[in-house]
Amino acid sequence: MKPYAFGVDIGGTSIKIGLAKTSGWLFETRKIGTPIDLSAESFLLNISEVIKQRIHARGLHPDDFEGIGVGVPGPVDEKGVVHGCANLGWGEVDVKGIMERALGIPVQVGNDANVAALGEMWQGGGKGYANLVMVTLGTGVGGGVIINRHIVCGQYGSAGEIGHLHVSDDETEPCGCSNYGCLEQYASATGIVRTAARLLDAHPEANSILRQGTPLDAKLVCDSAREGDELALSVVEAAMDQLGKALAMISCVIDPEVYVIGGGVSLASDVLMPPLQRAYKRYAFPSSRDTAFKKATLGNQAGIIGAIKLTMPDAKENKEKIK
Ligand SMILES: [Zn+2]
């Protein structure tokens, strides 16, 4: 394996570019603003230009690089083509082709949630496991699926979209995806706040710290639950019940060794994990009741670290087999 690799994590507000040894040591990270007013091609050529500059500044050569891994917030197929990316205003974009032509270095592309899962498997909460599902609890609910150490992206690049598992038939508001009753509507930070607001409305007699909360956010709900606030505890219980139900369904399909829980909401894992594991056990098929639950440990570095891992032969192998 060649000694160096780049990992690129493209997000809606910033792009992180990491330079690493393929042994796993990330020794330089740059952050640039996401240029949303550019065409996809100019956008990717801008990133390629930064990479060229870093190679030059370090006195390196493109031949020193095993590859460049890129995580993108949208569905990505096996050929490195992104199929629409709402955050960036992209339609279908051949990320791999554009960047390889610009740089002369092999490029591997993955969906950001899947790539973060790969990072957690390599150096984070999922280290030592070969079959894992990462759940990211943030503004939405993201998921990444790793089987036999490889990302599963699916035919349409949407494997791991666990935030859109249908968990409720009673929902009256649409999810961002236009369906009703998606997991994300309950277990995300936004979902937790929405449930709290609904419960406060439905129980005007209930005395809760949440009534004084301005703004009412997921952190306040978790902090209040930690202090024993009954209404906040019910909100957390309801959110983790839906998540536990969804993960039990996932276990019936792929039976992973571990669920790695990350994202901003997971900072309150002391409050969330016990009700989550109780709910999971309640819904799971008997032989998968003891699936492990771990906290993600890489934080917002997971995307870059996973992107670096994406360049390596053991991560690519599966793609060759699929072709
Ligand atoms: Zn949805």
Side-chain angles (χ1 to χ4, degrees):
M1 195 158 46
K2 295 179 177 178
Y4 296 97
F6 275 104
V8 181
D9 182 14
I10 300 180
T13 54
S14 70
I15 299 161
K16 282 173 271 175
I17 301 174
L19 175 53
K21 295 282 261 182
T22 40
S23 57
W25 177 41
L26 174 65
F27 60 91
E28 180 188 296
T29 305
R30 309 232 140 198
K31 195 166 158 184
I32 55 176
T34 303
I36 41 171
D37 48 343
L38 292 182
S39 72
E41 176 140 16
S42 308
F43 179 114
L44 293 169
L45 292 177
N46 267 14
I47 296 174
S48 304
E49 205 46 51
V50 174
I51 290 174
K52 268 187 209 164
Q53 285 165 7
R54 295 321 302 156
I55 295 174
H56 182 73
R58 289 272 174 181
L60 298 169
H61 187 273
D63 286 345
D64 298 323
F65 285 82
E66 181 65 23
I68 298 168
V70 184
V72 183
V76 181
D77 71 18
E78 295 285 343
K79 298 188 184 87
V81 176
V82 175
H83 294 269
C85 183
N87 283 350
L88 304 172
W90 290 6
E92 192 168 295
V93 182
D94 179 11
V95 176
K96 180 178 167 72
I98 293 169
M99 290 184 71
E100 283 185 346
R101 283 193 293 279
L103 290 161
I105 299 173
V107 172
Q108 308 295 330
V109 190
N111 165 268
D112 57 354
N114 286 326
V115 170
L118 194 64
E120 288 288 341
M121 180 200 76
W122 189 29
Q123 296 188 11
K127 198 170 173 181
Y129 294 96
N131 297 295
L132 69 89
V133 172
M134 179 165 174
V135 182
T136 307
L137 303 175
T139 320
V141 174
V145 179
I146 307 280
I147 292 183
N148 288 334
R149 298 190 175 77
H150 296 99
I151 287 174
V152 176
C153 35
Q155 183 66 34
Y156 304 103
S158 39
E161 287 291 352
I162 67 172
H164 303 283
L165 281 165
H166 179 83
V167 293
S168 170
D169 290 335
D170 305 322
E171 186 54 55
T172 51
E173 289 174 31
C175 173
C177 75
S178 83
N179 289 343
Y180 290 78
C182 294
L183 174 64
E184 176 164 300
Q185 293 185 278
Y186 310 98
S188 64
T190 329
I192 288 173
V193 170
R194 217 174 54 121
T195 304
R198 284 179 171 182
L199 278 182
L200 287 168
D201 271 355
H203 300 279
E205 77 293 350
N207 189 12
S208 167
I209 310 172
L210 300 182
R211 290 206 192 276
Q212 285 99 54
T214 43
L216 174 57
D217 59 17
K219 184 176 183 302
L220 179 69
V221 174
C222 293
D223 289 347
S224 307
R226 191 179 292 113
E227 285 170 34
D229 185 277
E230 299 250 344
L231 196 129
L233 280 166
S234 313
V235 175
V236 165
E237 193 72 37
M240 293 304 106
D241 186 77
Q242 296 289 34
L243 182 57
K245 190 194 291 176
L247 299 187
M249 288 192 271
I250 292 172
S251 283
C252 288
V253 184
I254 57 174
D255 190 17
E257 293 172 276
V258 62
Y259 287 102
V260 179
I261 313 292
V265 178
S266 73
L267 293 174
S269 64
D270 60 318
V271 175
L272 304 177
M273 283 287 206
L276 170 59
Q277 286 185 266
R278 277 198 303 275
Y280 174 79
K281 274 186 198 293
R282 191 158 64 242
Y283 295 114
F285 183 64
S287 59
S288 32
R289 271 178 199 150
D290 294 323
T291 308
F293 281 73
K294 301 272 182 192
K295 204 178 143 185
T297 60
L298 300 178
N300 55 18
Q301 292 282 78
I304 287 195
I305 291 170
I308 291 160
K309 182 65 183 167
L310 204 56
T311 66
M312 302 195 184
D314 58 344
K316 285 185 284 195
E317 186 187 306
N318 207 35
K319 295 193 172 182
E320 303 307 324
K321 271 191 222 149
I322 288 168
K323 278 176 205 159

